[in-house]
Amino acid sequence: MERLFLGWDRLALPLALEALSARYSSGGALHLEGCLLVFPGRRGARRFLDLLAEPGVGCESLPKTMTMGELPEELYKPKFPFANSLTQELAWAEALRSLTSERMKVLSASVPIDEDQSGWLSLGRLLSVQHRELAADRLTFEDVISEAERLGGPSERLRWEILADVQRQYLAILDSLNLWDKQTARIEALKRREFVADRDIVLVGMVDLNRSQREMLDQVQERVTSLVFAPESSAHLFDEHGCLLADKWADQPIDLSRVTIKLVDGPREQADEVLESLVGLEGRYAANEIVVGLGDTALEPVLERAMSQAGLRTRSAVEQTVRQTLPSRLLETVAAFLQNPRMPEFLSLLRHPDLYQWLSEMELPANWLDAVDREVQETLPARPEQMRSALGGGERLRPLFDAIYTALDPLRQPPRVLSEWRGPIVELLLTIYSHVEFHTEVTVDRLTWEGCRALLNALEDQQRVPAVLCPAVTGAEALRMTIDMAGSGTIPPPYDPGAIELLGWLELSLDDAPVLLMTSFNEGRVPSSVNADPFLPNRLRKALQIEDNSRRYARDAYTLCALTHSREHLTLLLSRRTAEGDPLVPSRLLFATDDVTVARRVREFYDPEAAQDDSRGTAKRRRSHLGSDVDIAKTDATLPKGFRIARPQGGESLRGSISVTAFRDYLKSPYLYYLKHVRHVKSIDLSAQELSAGAFGTLAHDVLKRFSLGPYRESRKGSEIANAVNEELDSLIEERMWGTTLPAVDVQLAQLRARLMAFAERQAELTDEGWRIEFVEKSHDAKPFVFETGDGRSLELRGTIDRIDYHPETGRWRILDYKTSEKKRTPEQSHRTKDGIWKDLQLPLYRELARPLGVSGKVELAYFNLPKDLAEVGVEVADWDDLLLKEAVDVARGVMRKILDGEFWDLKQMPPDDELYDLEALLQCGTLDRDDTVYAGLGAFDEDEEESAW
């Protein structure tokens, strides 16, 4: 085998092209048809082919390219077909089932029951991974026994003896089916020296090979050349295969004098620094000449969003995994519902975008999803079958339930052999997607199409599983097994020359961009470790001479050396903490230097004062807008820190009517008023197992309304009133909940019943005092109530007054609003701050709405509280004089004028977190660093930053 050291002062792939051109050019043209080029990953192979296609290269015939994982089957002929991944996992599961329960408990503290197919398959998948890794170094489970005993004692010896028995049983199962395990087949081919090469094999940057790969290459060594991207003077750091000598790299110094190292606080600050670095390039590089490296893939969405806000396009190596596509998510949501056919799972199913679109094409009410949500929130059925039965055939929502159950019924059948579920799953996909017209140039369509194709391929693979291994599974299990088979597949994004690529650490060595901004350069990310492996911890790995932490360190140390020499600009970003606030430490690669430099870097990282200064500097820094052109250039525009929140559009306002309860929302926050009442944004709890506060209050109000219109409204006997409200509550439960409730709802209903009993006693006392119920739930639906704003404009004022009582002897009126909150509140507490500022205008505006009913003169405004403490059930009257009530009306007119003018964007006025109407997700509260990010006024920001921040 020949090693060619090409140096590392230039980019790797251009160096590889020069080396191949020198060897395979003739007649002024490059001929590579006789070459097989092997790369560490597919991306390196794709980029090299791109280089060959560039003008001036003169490549007349392309080479065959592949990864090292694909190479073995190119060099030998298997005697039997290979078992696919699912067949292997099922064979492992079957081998495990052959163990006694006592021996199984040695391997796993939790042994699945016989019917738990997913549990057995998960264990089989775990052993399959261990088998593949050991086989790559020509090891069997039996080969591990002695070293395991030496390091872990008799218990570890017993464990690996059992694993060896399972492995033998696994291979026997495949042999009986005339199938081969790919890893074992390779080992057999090595033993028999069956590897043959009919063309030149060129290894491009393959610096870490396992034992099987090395022995395979040795059998065809006369045709192998290894291109090593390092200077000849470093040859002593590499073995005869061009691979790293881990022990030599352990003490190898790394010169970072040409590298920019930046230390920041957290993920968002890393994104800030990336943008700062791009600005600092001053437009000298095109987007496709810049790469952002990801030490931690969790940072990817943060970077993508920050760069998108700056007008920059990004391209990740993986756009989506198949598991993330809409078709896979549909099957997962269906599986969850089939396994637990409860209301939360059903509501999640309705919200799947593709299922929602399919249902929306049926003859359903215009806002059918809102109608379902309202019905569920008011009645909380435990299962959708209850709601489906109660709706009856004439209800307009009934077709929705019928359509879903018709589509899912084939998957709700008893367990059957896995391969027999292909038809029902394909039928479901066709039902949802067959009428969709896909436009593959549209991202979501392309991803959906690729997702469907991957799932169908997985279903075809299932048909190749031998019948003897096919387990009897439920429809839900079949769906999840299909997703597992297809889900790890990836869908690359389309090529975009105007995008900055985001690449993982292992892909960077063969990338040909001259500018690299490396993020999350922290220990555990670069280099990573394998200490936590349940079967093969690092000590055992080292003893077995398979991939361990020292080999990972050597690989990453080499990569960093190569990057520092070959890149024109290299920036390493270190983070002090994760998004969750957990502390991080610097990569140990930064300490592969002299003692003085190590001490300086440690001090800089851990010095609290330096950290504080850095944080303040980041918070105050201005970022220039980067623009969307291919060439990165600075402009005078400014970019907001943090994430943008939807700003009200010009011309939006509420023209028509306003509810008396909506004033409270505007006084609390104009922007939240805009979200709730202009854009009608709301939050739905799909997992609710009890009545919401609103649904609880609505039920109580409806009981009291029926009582107040009934024959006992003037009763002076608490027992009569108690019987009346009891009957009304029972009637409403039967009507709305169909006689079936969740356990928590039963408790709530008991609590409500107790509050109604206390109400009955207090109501009897009010009647005895001379009060009579005059009006019940009065509104102005027939004749709108027009409220003047004081500047020639007006709005209709809407509101439904729970109850108005009259006292004939005194001529007093009393406007009552029922309150069912946990604690008693007075009107003063709810309507005015401690400083006497109006924060709610409901009762004063009820007084205005009641005037057309003849309610005038002595008018009391009151709450009828029904709190948890039954001793506090009763009426609380507001102590407001006419001057205060006039002030409240003036405040209402001012609010109406602002609403008509569309004034909703007030950054200074936002409520605390616990009063956000469940809209925290939309406002992105808690995202990254709340204290240093502007969330439409949430959190701290300087006075002089308000304009630039938005």
Side-chain angles (χ1 to χ4, degrees):
M1 180 185 299
E2 181 183 7
R3 298 183 305 172
L4 287 182
F5 287 88
L6 305 181
W8 55 20
D9 290 334
R10 292 167 50 205
L11 297 170
L13 292 184
L15 284 173
L17 179 57
E18 287 183 9
L20 292 174
S21 297
R23 177 169 294 190
Y24 296 103
S25 291
S26 62
L30 179 59
H31 302 274
L32 295 175
E33 69 276 7
C35 291
L36 196 162
L37 272 54
V38 184
F39 293 82
R42 289 189 177 89
R43 185 181 182 278
R46 289 196 302 269
R47 288 296 302 136
F48 189 76
L49 291 177
D50 290 340
L51 289 181
L52 293 178
E54 288 184 357
V57 173
C59 182
E60 291 194 356
S61 56
L62 295 176
K64 188 170 185 176
T65 62
M66 60 181 56
T67 65
M68 180 56 74
E70 299 166 327
L71 178 62
E73 281 62 51
E74 186 74 18
L75 304 180
Y76 81 103
K77 301 295 183 183
K79 293 181 172 57
F80 297 104
F82 292 132
N84 62 25
S85 60
L86 179 60
T87 300
Q88 292 181 55
E89 291 164 6
L90 289 169
W92 279 108
E94 188 65 24
L96 284 167
R97 285 175 180 271
S98 68
L99 295 177
T100 64
S101 58
E102 291 77 14
R103 285 164 69 82
M104 264 303 304
K105 289 176 182 177
V106 175
L107 300 182
S108 174
S110 177
V111 180
I113 60 174
D114 287 343
E115 296 76 17
D116 184 7
Q117 303 293 349
S118 297
W120 287 107
L121 194 59
S122 294
L123 288 176
R125 189 174 298 123
L126 179 62
L127 291 192
S128 183
V129 170
Q130 306 299 328
H131 164 72
R132 284 198 301 272
E133 182 167 13
L134 287 168
D137 279 291
R138 291 199 64 176
L139 295 172
T140 66
F141 288 178
E142 188 168 7
D143 295 327
V144 182
I145 294 174
S146 59
E147 288 297 338
E149 181 180 25
R150 183 175 67 83
L151 296 173
S155 62
E156 280 300 293
R157 178 181 183 86
L158 176 61
R159 185 162 76 134
W160 282 98
E161 285 177 342
I162 295 172
L163 286 171
D165 288 343
V166 173
Q167 187 177 50
R168 282 188 286 270
Q169 180 65 17
Y170 158 76
L171 294 173
I173 290 172
L174 293 186
D175 283 345
S176 69
L177 299 170
N178 290 323
L179 293 175
W180 267 27
D181 171 85
K182 182 179 289 188
Q183 288 71 35
T184 306
R186 292 174 178 177
I187 292 175
E188 287 300 315
L190 285 172
K191 290 178 180 177
R192 298 174 185 177
R193 302 192 63 82
E194 294 178 353
F195 287 90
V196 177
D198 60 358
R199 64 181 73 190
D200 290 348
I201 300 172
V202 180
L203 308 181
V204 184
M206 299 297 305
V207 295
D208 189 19
L209 299 173
N210 60 49
R211 198 174 306 160
S212 293
Q213 292 166 344
R214 293 164 189 260
E215 292 186 17
M216 171 188 68
L217 293 171
D218 286 343
Q219 291 187 16
V220 293
Q221 59 180 313
E222 69 281 356
R223 303 298 301 266
V224 179
T225 301
S226 178
L227 303 184
V228 184
F229 301 108
E232 188 74 42
S233 59
S234 298
H236 64 287
L237 302 174
F238 298 83
D239 66 12
E240 67 275 13
H241 296 94
C243 293
L244 304 166
L245 293 169
D247 56 336
K248 297 289 183 66
W249 282 91
D251 301 318
Q252 183 69 16
I254 302 176
D255 180 11
L256 299 179
S257 59
R258 298 175 59 242
V259 178
T260 300
I261 303 174
K262 293 186 178 182
L263 178 61
V264 298
D265 188 47
R268 187 172 60 80
E269 286 77 15
Q270 288 201 69
D272 290 345
E273 287 294 349
V274 167
L275 293 175
E276 291 282 359
S277 298
L278 292 175
V279 170
L281 295 175
E282 298 180 334
R284 297 193 303 274
Y285 296 90
N288 61 2
E289 295 178 307
I290 303 170
V291 161
V292 176
L294 299 172
D296 183 359
T297 55
L299 187 64
E300 184 173 347
V302 181
L303 287 168
E304 286 180 334
R305 187 160 190 169
M307 295 172 76
S308 175
Q309 289 178 355
L312 298 172
R313 299 196 303 276
T314 58
R315 182 182 186 272
S316 175
V318 175
E319 188 169 20
Q320 267 191 2
T321 63
V322 172
R323 187 180 293 274
Q324 293 172 318
T325 63
L326 286 173
S328 287
R329 286 159 52 193
L330 172 66
L331 297 193
E332 179 56 47
T333 309
V334 169
F337 175 63
L338 293 176
Q339 186 172 352
N340 294 300
R342 303 172 304 176
M343 211 65 217
E345 285 75 17
F346 183 76
L347 294 176
S348 294
L349 188 60
L350 295 185
R351 281 167 167 76
H352 186 281
D354 296 335
L355 190 74
Y356 174 87
Q357 183 61 39
W358 172 65
L359 290 170
S360 296
E361 294 171 0
M362 302 177 185
E363 293 184 5
L364 295 171
N367 296 317
W368 60 266
L369 187 55
D370 286 342
V372 173
D373 288 339
R374 284 195 302 271
E375 190 76 28
V376 170
Q377 286 190 314
E378 290 177 5
T379 61
L380 277 184
R383 295 178 179 271
E385 288 95 334
Q386 298 167 356
M387 188 172 174
R388 183 189 188 196
S389 301
L391 290 174
E395 168 64 42
R396 293 185 67 195
L397 286 175
R398 179 62 185 257
L400 178 149
F401 288 86
D402 292 344
I404 290 178
Y405 276 88
T406 299
L408 300 188
D409 274 347
L411 289 161
R412 292 158 58 89
Q413 304 305 311
R416 62 177 70 170
V417 173
L418 174 63
S419 57
E420 295 180 9
W421 286 109
R422 176 181 176 277
I425 296 174
V426 171
E427 183 181 345
L428 174 63
L429 291 171
L430 289 175
T431 297
I432 304 302
Y433 294 108
S434 62
H435 303 296
V436 177
E437 184 175 347
F438 291 102
H439 300 279
T440 53
E441 70 277 6
V442 177
T443 299
V444 66
D445 283 4
R446 180 173 55 82
L447 293 174
T448 299
W449 173 262
E450 293 290 348
C452 284
R453 188 170 68 170
L455 290 169
L456 293 174
N457 289 339
L459 289 168
E460 288 301 319
D461 276 350
Q462 289 176 6
Q463 303 304 300
R464 290 192 282 274
V465 175
V468 69
L469 288 179
C470 271
V473 295
T474 64
E477 289 174 323
L479 288 169
R480 290 202 167 105
M481 291 171 74
T482 303
I483 297 168
D484 286 341
M485 284 191 71
S488 60
T490 59
I491 304 173
Y495 178 63
D496 182 357
I500 295 175
E501 293 211 68
L502 308 179
L503 298 179
W505 171 251
L506 297 181
E507 298 172 302
L508 295 174
S509 60
L510 292 188
D511 179 70
D512 55 341
V515 177
L516 169 60
L517 309 175
M518 184 65 208
T519 63
S520 298
F521 202 72
N522 293 87
E523 188 66 19
R525 275 71 173 167
V526 183
S528 59
S529 64
V530 290
N531 295 323
D533 192 304
F535 284 95
L536 295 168
N538 190 64
R539 287 180 66 211
L540 184 54
R541 287 173 172 275
K542 193 172 186 65
L544 296 171
Q545 298 182 13
I546 63 176
E547 184 183 41
D548 62 353
N549 288 342
S550 64
R551 271 175 60 179
R552 288 176 178 238
Y553 176 86
R555 179 198 65 198
D556 293 343
Y558 161 76
T559 300
L560 182 58
C561 285
L563 293 176
T564 59
H565 285 84
S566 61
R567 295 303 184 271
E568 295 178 24
H569 292 275
L570 173 59
T571 297
L572 302 179
L573 297 179
L574 291 73
S575 184
R576 285 194 176 90
R577 61 185 180 85
T578 65
E580 294 76 24
D582 298 327
L584 293 171
V585 297
S587 169
R588 75 187 106 148
L589 294 172
L590 295 174
F591 304 131
T593 183
D594 62 88
D595 293 344
V596 174
T597 305
V598 168
R600 176 174 56 80
R601 288 175 182 168
V602 170
R603 184 184 61 79
E604 289 173 353
F605 190 87
Y606 289 105
D607 185 353
E609 265 188 43
Q612 192 174 13
D613 292 343
D614 176 81
S615 178
R616 281 199 294 263
T618 302
K620 297 294 182 183
R621 194 176 297 132
R622 287 280 194 270
R623 291 204 301 265
S624 294
H625 183 75
L626 300 178
S628 57
D629 295 334
V630 172
D631 289 327
I632 308 302
K634 293 193 293 183
T635 71
D636 295 330
T638 55
L639 182 73
K641 288 185 68 61
F643 290 165
R644 292 181 177 176
I645 296 173
R647 185 167 186 164
Q649 301 300 309
E652 285 183 306
S653 64
L654 182 66
R655 303 188 184 278
S657 65
I658 182 173
S659 166
V660 295
T661 57
F663 287 89
R664 175 183 63 232
D665 297 333
Y666 192 92
L667 291 171
K668 183 175 292 185
S669 166
Y671 184 65
L672 287 180
Y673 172 92
Y674 164 78
L675 292 177
K676 284 188 67 179
H677 301 284
V678 179
R679 298 303 296 270
H680 306 292
V681 175
K682 61 182 178 180
S683 175
I684 300 293
D685 184 3
L686 301 184
S687 61
Q689 296 292 300
E690 62 182 17
L691 293 171
S692 65
F696 184 88
T698 298
L699 182 59
H701 277 67
D702 290 345
V703 171
L704 297 173
K705 174 184 177 181
R706 291 190 178 190
F707 157 75
S708 299
L709 295 173
Y712 296 99
R713 57 188 288 172
E714 295 184 5
S715 174
R716 297 178 181 224
K717 295 181 179 180
S719 58
E720 287 184 347
I721 298 173
N723 289 335
V725 293
N726 249 329
E727 290 178 4
E728 297 297 352
L729 178 58
D730 289 338
S731 177
L732 283 167
I733 292 172
E734 185 62 31
E735 289 175 19
R736 297 183 180 177
M737 301 181 180
W738 316 302
T740 58
T741 55
L742 296 165
V745 177
D746 287 332
V747 174
Q748 289 179 298
L749 295 178
Q751 293 173 340
L752 176 56
R753 201 178 298 276
R755 298 189 197 189
L756 291 174
M757 296 304 97
F759 162 84
E761 294 299 323
R762 184 65 184 115
Q763 176 60 36
E765 293 172 5
L766 292 175
T767 306
D768 199 47
E769 292 170 8
W771 290 98
R772 72 168 187 251
I773 300 173
E774 193 71 19
F775 300 106
V776 178
E777 292 209 3
K778 296 302 294 184
S779 62
H780 290 268
D781 294 337
K783 185 178 181 181
F785 184 89
V786 179
F787 196 69
E788 302 294 334
T789 63
D791 62 354
R793 296 181 291 177
S794 64
L795 277 175
E796 292 178 11
L797 193 62
R798 291 182 287 106
T800 300
I801 303 172
D802 289 342
R803 179 172 140 186
I804 304 176
D805 288 3
Y806 181 62
H807 198 283
E809 293 181 9
T810 61
R812 287 182 295 158
W813 292 92
R814 180 179 285 172
I815 296 174
L816 287 168
D817 191 48
Y818 293 122
K819 293 297 180 184
T820 57
S821 53
E822 289 287 288
K823 295 182 179 180
K824 179 189 77 171
R825 290 185 67 82
T826 67
E828 176 70 13
Q829 288 172 326
S830 296
H831 283 71
R832 285 158 41 91
T833 68
K834 293 179 180 179
D835 298 327
I837 298 172
W838 287 98
K839 60 181 180 179
D840 191 352
L841 304 173
Q842 183 181 15
L843 286 179
L845 292 177
Y846 275 166
R847 187 170 184 261
E848 301 300 311
L849 286 175
R851 292 185 189 277
L853 302 174
V855 178
S856 60
K858 298 178 180 179
V859 181
E860 297 178 358
L861 303 174
Y863 282 167
F864 202 136
N865 281 303
L866 284 82
K868 184 177 182 180
D869 187 346
L870 302 182
E872 295 183 336
V873 171
V875 175
E876 292 284 342
V877 180
D879 183 22
W880 298 325
D881 58 24
D882 289 342
L883 188 62
L884 272 178
L885 292 173
K886 180 182 181 301
E887 179 184 280
V889 171
D890 289 340
V891 171
R893 289 195 171 103
V895 169
M896 292 167 69
R897 289 192 292 270
K898 290 182 178 181
I899 289 172
L900 287 170
D901 292 336
E903 295 183 18
F904 304 120
W905 193 246
D906 187 346
L907 296 183
K908 294 290 188 181
Q909 191 173 347
M910 291 294 275
D913 283 355
D914 58 355
E915 298 179 14
L916 286 176
Y917 304 108
D918 297 325
L919 298 178
E920 294 93 335
L922 180 63
L923 295 176
Q924 313 208 21
C925 302
T927 306
L928 300 181
D929 298 309
R930 160 74 181 272
D931 59 345
D932 191 30
T933 306
V934 177
Y935 296 98
L938 285 171
F941 61 95
D942 294 340
E943 290 286 340
D944 63 347
E945 288 190 34
E946 180 171 352
E947 290 303 319
S948 65
W950 297 99

